[in-house]
Amino acid sequence: MPDASTNVSLGIDTGGTYTDAALVDQASGQVLAAAKALTTRDDLSVGIREAITAALKQKPKELPVKAIDLVALSTTLATNAIAEGHGGRVCLVLIGYDKEQMQHYYSQQGLVAEDVAYLLGGHDVQGNEVASLDEDAARQVILSRRTKVEAFAISGYFGVRNPVHENRVRTLVKDLTGLPVTCGHELTAHLDAVRRATTVAYNARLIPLLQNLIVNVRLALSELKITAPLMVVKGDGSLVRAEWAINRPVETILSGPAASTMGAWHLVGRHDVWVVDMGGTTTDIAALRHGRPHLNQEGARVGNKRLMIEAVDVHTVGLGGDSHVHLDREGQVFIGPRRAVPLCFLASEYPEIEEELRRQATYSLKSGAEQFVIFCRRPSNDLSDDDAELLSRLEIGPQSLRLLSSEAHHDWLLPRRIEYLEGIGAVQRAGFTPTDALHVLGRFQNWNTEASRLAAELIAVRAGLTVASFCKEVVQRVSERVAREVVSKIFENGIGPPDWEKERTASALLDSALDGAHDGELGCQLTLRKPLVALGAPVEAYMPLAAELLHTKLLIPPHAQVANAVGAVVGGVIQRVQILIRPLEGLGPFRAHLPDGVHDFEDLEEAVRYVKQVVFPRTEALAHQAGAGQVEVQMIRTDRRVKLSPSFAKKVFLGTELTFTAVGRPSPG
């Protein structure tokens, strides 16, 4: 029984639809209390405060709030901000880059930072200085922007091979402005000047956003008398102090999927599984390997952007409990990818919605009759008179799409105007969802079931189905889609993303294996060799069939609905430093590329000894700065040799990579 002597961690996860909070006993790993609240995207701290408050109400009475000595947060903030193009005002300083080349790239890919300054300097692939750093120009750039930007980003050409110029400009920024500043070599040790510049620019843009969230979360914790240190989940599932995360917020992208895989590991005790985390908005599929999230070595992907940050290798699909269910032109059931507020929830908040659905059921067979539009916010940008008038109408309360269309029968642009307002977050659509289908079938009944049933009637009539068969088909389609996406992720890991539309034979075989109604001449099946761990509130309804189709074991652990919040607190602090030692000419001398510059040695082993002497304590110090208590540091050495041709027996030495990894548990408050 927990008491005042129990050490408790508070895990928080902000998802696309819900924010979860969980209290976990650090000694036993037992989940003592858990709760959910709706995510408030305009201010994430509001939903966080509500979830924590609800969890505290469920905690054992004998457990005081002061027993909480660690708080860990996984957040969608960085991922959403990159995907949606949000961020602070920054200056990207490029040292030694070709201006014409970069401008050509940005004209094709789009600007990450509107303010880009170019300085003379930079190095070559061996770390030799190509041109001296123009410090006078650097001072001018910094001083002219110190009141116009919120952060600086610095990337030097081949800065990972010799960061001296990056370090010098960083010092100037700190001395002259005191503003946050990040260097490219601090985020990655890999070559790719353009992607490194892009990554460090995104990092700078995210700093004010995460800083604001941390301030608000700490305020909420203070109001609830929680004084424990706050940590943030990185995209690889490890933890860092909030202060560390503020300076490197880009490392927190995909922290939600990373937390879910850590939660799966903690709750089921298995080290090698596939994790399916189904939320309201999306479903995330990731692999747990050897008790850690499987990382994408090519860098985290957010939408069509690939960043030089190691993060969980996740496959995300727009499928969840809140996916919009509608009929296509052929009258077939189609699910997603657009999100909609479930009608059962909307009607529980606005009872008049049920009456409007009842009215529609008496006379409307028109597509979209069961949809509603909800006011969210007034955007800061200018709106047309028609859009402003529509928002004013919606501020009174949700309006049915049927009613809006009938009143604006002359406005052929109404559907497009609603889509535009949806895109900028001013309005939100409500409609029939898988959550509504579960309400009708009696499998999940948190809100207004009658509203779900009335909407199901409207759609089922148009589809030529009974209400029950329509809702069962919705649930079956979700299950089959999850199974298909698991197969897609496995192929993606092996040979690249499949294109089922072009690979008609492969697509037909997949249909045969996963379509329960398939009655063709050829029958086949797929077998997933590792178990599926299902996380999220609705998984009991969808995942048994998905696992059956894949002929694998299904694991749904206790507290699966808050696994991300649990996963947020069970990870450790992990810091890595990679050092490269390369021969300058043939068999020597050898150059070590270190965080403070390059160092040359006549002998390889002498170089290795020096690097170990310098980097072991540095890596340990980084882990302590990131929030670890007791730390253990290990080093892995990889000597790279290749044959120039099959006829040469002797291999040519290319270099030595030394990877230092510091691991420790978070230091309690």
Side-chain angles (χ1 to χ4, degrees), residues 506-569:
S507 181
L509 289 172
L510 187 66
D511 289 341
S512 177
L514 300 183
D515 188 346
H518 184 78
D519 57 358
E521 293 289 334
L522 180 66
C524 65
Q525 69 178 38
L526 297 172
T527 301
L528 184 62
R529 293 177 177 173
K530 291 182 171 62
L532 277 179
V533 178
L535 307 176
V539 290
E540 291 88 350
Y542 307 115
M543 290 307 298
L545 176 58
E548 181 182 334
L549 292 171
L550 294 172
H551 298 86
T552 191
K553 185 175 182 180
L554 175 64
L555 303 172
I556 303 179
H559 308 291
Q561 70 275 17
V562 293
N564 289 30
V566 174
V569 294

Side-chain angles (χ1 to χ4, degrees), residues 412-440:
W412 300 102
L413 294 177
L414 179 66
R416 291 188 180 181
R417 293 202 290 112
I418 291 175
E419 287 187 4
Y420 167 72
L421 292 172
E422 268 190 292
I424 62 174
V427 304
Q428 196 170 11
R429 194 178 302 249
F432 196 83
T433 66
T435 298
D436 289 296
L438 294 181
H439 274 71
V440 175

Side-chain angles (χ1 to χ4, degrees), residues 2 33 45 59 73 118 122 136 206 223 227 237 290 371 373 382 386 404-405 426 429 432 437 526 579:
S45 66
K59 72 177 179 62
L73 169 70
Y118 295 86
D136 290 337
L206 291 169
E223 292 172 355
T227 59
H290 311 295
Q371 296 180 38
V373 185
D382 293 334
D386 287 340
L404 291 174
S405 299
R429 194 178 302 249
F432 196 83
L526 297 172
I579 303 298

Side-chain angles (χ1 to χ4, degrees), residues 617-638:
R618 175 183 173 83
T619 310
E620 181 178 5
L622 284 175
H624 287 307
Q625 292 170 23
Q630 187 174 354
V631 173
E632 179 181 348
V633 183
Q634 296 181 339
M635 184 198 79
I636 296 177
R637 174 175 175 172
T638 304

Side-chain angles (χ1 to χ4, degrees), residues 110-324:
L111 284 170
V112 177
E114 293 182 2
D115 185 2
V116 182
Y118 295 86
L119 297 177
L120 288 177
H123 297 80
D124 63 18
V125 68
Q126 292 184 328
N128 299 311
E129 186 178 77
V130 173
S132 298
L133 175 65
D134 190 339
E135 291 197 21
D136 290 337
R139 288 189 179 89
Q140 184 178 353
V141 165
I142 295 165
L143 290 173
S144 65
R145 290 163 172 82
R146 60 181 172 181
T147 61
K148 299 177 182 178
V149 300
E150 298 169 273
F152 282 84
I154 303 169
S155 184
Y157 206 68
F158 283 110
V160 294
R161 292 294 169 83
N162 192 337
V164 168
H165 289 177
E166 288 188 2
N167 290 338
R168 178 56 185 153
V169 176
R170 178 183 59 192
T171 299
L172 289 173
V173 170
K174 289 183 175 180
D175 291 346
L176 297 174
T177 72
L179 291 172
V181 55
T182 313
C183 295
H185 78 273
E186 296 175 299
L187 300 176
T188 179
H190 298 296
L191 296 177
D192 192 328
V194 174
R195 280 180 58 200
R196 188 168 63 254
T198 300
T199 301
V200 75
Y202 274 122
N203 189 80
R205 281 168 54 85
L206 291 169
I207 287 174
L209 302 185
L210 189 60
Q211 189 172 37
N212 182 65
L213 174 62
I214 295 299
V215 168
N216 288 329
V217 169
R218 280 186 164 147
L219 180 61
L221 294 172
S222 177
E223 292 172 355
L224 296 170
K225 311 299 182 185
I226 299 174
T227 59
L230 175 62
M231 304 195 79
V232 180
V233 181
K234 292 173 55 181
D236 64 359
S238 65
L239 298 172
V240 290
R241 291 170 59 238
E243 290 78 11
W244 179 286
I246 286 173
N247 289 317
R248 298 190 184 183
V250 74
E251 293 181 346
T252 69
I253 61 175
L254 303 178
S255 69
S260 72
T261 57
M262 293 302 298
W265 165 76
H266 179 80
L267 293 172
V268 303
R270 303 286 286 266
H271 288 72
D272 291 278
V273 296
W274 282 98
V275 181
V276 177
D277 180 11
M278 180 177 286
T281 307
T282 60
T283 294
D284 295 325
I285 301 169
L288 187 70
R289 296 291 178 260
H290 311 295
R292 297 292 307 173
H294 181 255
L295 304 183
N296 192 326
Q297 301 300 324
E298 295 181 4
R301 180 184 290 279
V302 179
N304 62 351
K305 303 172 181 68
R306 176 82 73 176
L307 305 181
M308 297 185 76
I309 296 294
E310 281 195 351
V312 60
D313 185 9
V314 62
H315 177 72
T316 300
V317 58
L319 178 71
D322 296 351
S323 293
H324 186 210

